Amino acid sequence: MTEHEKKLLQAKHRLEEAHARDRVKERKVRTRRLIQEGAILEKALPQVQRMTLEQLEDFLWEVFKSVR
């Protein structure tokens, strides 16, 4: 492998690592947003804490079906 090929391979790997870091950052932002939205939902409707995920989904669809 020539020196030029090594440099190209290193550059490729650096780019892949940068993309991986970006994906991790995006995932963390999404996770934080979902947690915050869930906290707001629980604060506004405390009864959702006692619901299963299926019950919560059914409840939300029922509440918002006229909005769609």
Side-chain angles (χ1 to χ4, degrees), residues 12-34:
K12 179 183 173 191
H13 287 158
R14 279 194 297 275
L15 186 59
E16 289 171 354
E17 289 173 0
H19 287 310
R21 282 191 303 273
D22 289 344
R23 284 191 303 272
V24 168
K25 187 187 299 185
E26 289 170 4
R27 192 174 66 243
K28 286 183 178 187
V29 167
R30 180 178 185 270
T31 298
R32 178 177 170 80
R33 179 182 54 80
L34 291 172

Side-chain angles (χ1 to χ4, degrees), residues 41 48 51-65 68:
L41 178 63
V48 301
M51 293 180 183
T52 65
L53 290 177
E54 184 178 334
Q55 290 170 330
L56 175 59
E57 183 177 9
D58 291 343
F59 171 75
L60 291 173
W61 279 113
E62 186 66 30
V63 168
F64 293 107
K65 73 179 176 185
R68 297 170 57 207

Side-chain angles (χ1 to χ4, degrees), residues 31-46 48-49 56:
T31 298
R32 178 177 170 80
R33 179 182 54 80
L34 291 172
I35 290 169
Q36 289 173 329
E37 289 173 351
I40 291 169
L41 178 63
E42 285 186 356
K43 186 176 181 181
L45 298 166
V48 301
Q49 294 177 23
L56 175 59

